[in-house]
Amino acid sequence: MVKETTTNKALSLKSLTKSTVWDVQENDIFRMLEIGEKDAELKDNLRHFADIIRSAFMIEEISDDKLIREKYTKLGYKVGYVKLSEDNKVVWAVKKRPITRVTDLTYENIRHITAAKLIEVLDRNFGGGWESLSQSIQDIIESGFDISTTTLPKDRLHKKGGMYEKKVADGYEVLEIEKGTWVEAIFAKLKPETIKPRMKFDESKEDEEDNDEDVELPDDSYNKPDEDDVEIEEPNDDEITEDNYRTTFDIDADPDEDAESLSDFIADE
């Protein structure tokens, strides 16, 4: 399904950043550049803005040939003239960079995709589960989405009134990854945008604080890990049992799940 192109008239070259550029479409790029050609302040910095645009768009400088223009148009590019300077007018073919792999995700674009799109990208890129992603990719995803995972026996994952049903009802998208008779479920929901409050300080108090000397800092040993702490290894696929599966978030215990062991499931079958 092709996403309908929309025009974002609120943005201009002056407000364009490597994050906001993901909010615009190809038509917007040519509109903003055309306006920039007539603005003396922007005109001298068009190459700078072109670099920002390239962070979210593929740009090809092509010859002004009808067949070449038609070729790029068929490939989904928007073609038009761009005047980068008084004596340099070129033809650009512009197309939004696709986000199809986890390596396409960045801190700049992560909040510009939906949870459904994220699940689609994750489904296309791995079969080993959430932990198979690199820490850097996990950090990028979690900067824009609430992520939680759980691994349960296949016949218990969709239990009526269970966690799966509650998560979906709460607006989470879910990806299921089969691991033998068990299934890992990855839940994703876009985080709400928050505005950080700006704190105002009384200048007189700031001066007093600056003059304070010999302030004893509190002992931070409370938060230090014990030397005997050890990292718990995850069980492999052959060692996963009802007693050792884990989740990455706290949920209320299910009486049925706590009461039964893996052997009970086998016995029931």
Side-chain angles (χ1 to χ4, degrees):
M1 180 178 179
V2 178
K3 185 177 180 180
E4 183 180 355
T5 301
T6 58
T7 301
N8 191 331
K9 294 183 178 180
L11 282 173
S12 66
L13 285 181
K14 289 182 179 180
S15 61
L16 206 62
T17 67
K18 288 187 177 182
S19 177
T20 60
V21 71
W22 287 93
D23 286 325
V24 304
Q25 302 300 330
E26 292 84 355
N27 286 333
D28 300 315
I29 297 300
F30 287 103
R31 176 184 60 80
M32 289 189 291
L33 289 172
E34 183 179 358
I35 295 174
E37 294 171 8
K38 303 171 184 176
D39 189 318
E41 181 183 350
L42 297 176
K43 193 174 181 180
D44 295 335
N45 293 291
L46 286 182
R47 291 191 178 277
H48 163 70
F49 293 114
D51 290 338
I52 294 177
I53 294 169
R54 284 191 175 90
S55 68
F57 290 82
M58 296 179 290
I59 299 177
E60 298 288 343
E61 186 174 321
I62 62 176
S63 62
D64 192 8
D65 178 85
K66 182 179 179 181
L67 292 178
I68 297 296
R69 292 168 68 102
E70 290 178 351
K71 173 185 175 182
Y72 276 89
T73 300
K74 289 180 181 179
L75 292 174
Y77 286 78
K78 178 71 177 177
V79 179
Y81 290 101
V82 176
K83 192 174 182 181
L84 295 178
S85 63
E86 287 293 342
D87 54 354
N88 186 15
K89 190 173 184 179
V90 298
V91 180
W92 271 11
V94 179
K95 184 180 180 181
K96 194 76 161 283
R97 291 187 183 278
I99 301 176
T100 58
R101 305 181 300 259
V102 292
T103 51
D104 295 327
L105 299 172
T106 66
Y107 284 106
E108 288 76 22
N109 66 27
I110 190 63
R111 294 196 61 86
H112 299 276
I113 63 174
T114 63
K117 175 64 176 179
L118 174 63
I119 291 299
E120 177 188 322
V121 172
L122 293 178
D123 188 30
R124 185 182 296 119
N125 281 274
F126 68 87
W130 175 254
E131 295 301 328
S132 70
L133 293 172
S134 67
Q135 186 61 54
S136 60
I137 295 297
Q138 289 184 19
D139 291 344
I140 289 173
I141 294 174
E142 290 181 326
S143 71
F145 290 86
D146 282 320
I147 299 292
S148 53
T149 71
T150 187
T151 303
L152 289 169
K154 188 182 300 185
D155 60 347
R156 300 302 299 265
L157 182 63
H158 294 273
K159 180 181 177 181
K160 187 175 181 180
M163 178 216 8
Y164 186 103
E165 185 177 283
K166 291 176 182 177
K167 283 287 185 182
V168 173
D170 194 29
Y172 283 79
E173 295 288 339
V174 59
L175 173 64
E176 297 179 33
I177 303 172
E178 292 192 8
K179 296 182 175 181
T181 59
W182 292 64
V183 177
E184 178 179 353
I186 303 175
F187 301 93
K189 183 179 180 181
L190 188 66
K191 289 181 178 178
E193 290 195 60
T194 56
I195 300 176
K196 295 182 179 180
R198 298 183 64 181
M199 300 180 66
K200 295 183 178 180
F201 297 93
D202 185 347
E203 292 183 0
S204 60
K205 291 183 178 180
E206 286 185 349
D207 293 338
E208 292 177 3
E209 291 176 358
D210 291 340
N211 293 328
D212 288 343
E213 297 181 357
D214 300 328
V215 177
E216 183 177 353
L217 297 176
D219 184 5
D220 193 36
S221 61
Y222 179 82
N223 292 319
K224 294 181 180 179
D226 295 334
E227 294 181 357
D228 296 333
D229 287 349
V230 296
E231 183 179 355
I232 301 176
E233 297 184 356
E234 285 188 49
N236 59 37
D237 291 346
D238 297 331
E239 296 174 340
I240 295 178
T241 69
E242 178 70 11
D243 295 322
N244 66 19
Y245 79 84
R246 65 181 184 84
T247 65
T248 58
F249 61 95
D250 295 326
I251 59 174
D252 294 334
D254 186 325
D256 292 338
E257 292 179 6
D258 290 342
E260 297 177 13
S261 65
L262 187 60
S263 60
D264 292 329
F265 289 114
I266 299 173
D268 291 341
E269 294 178 353

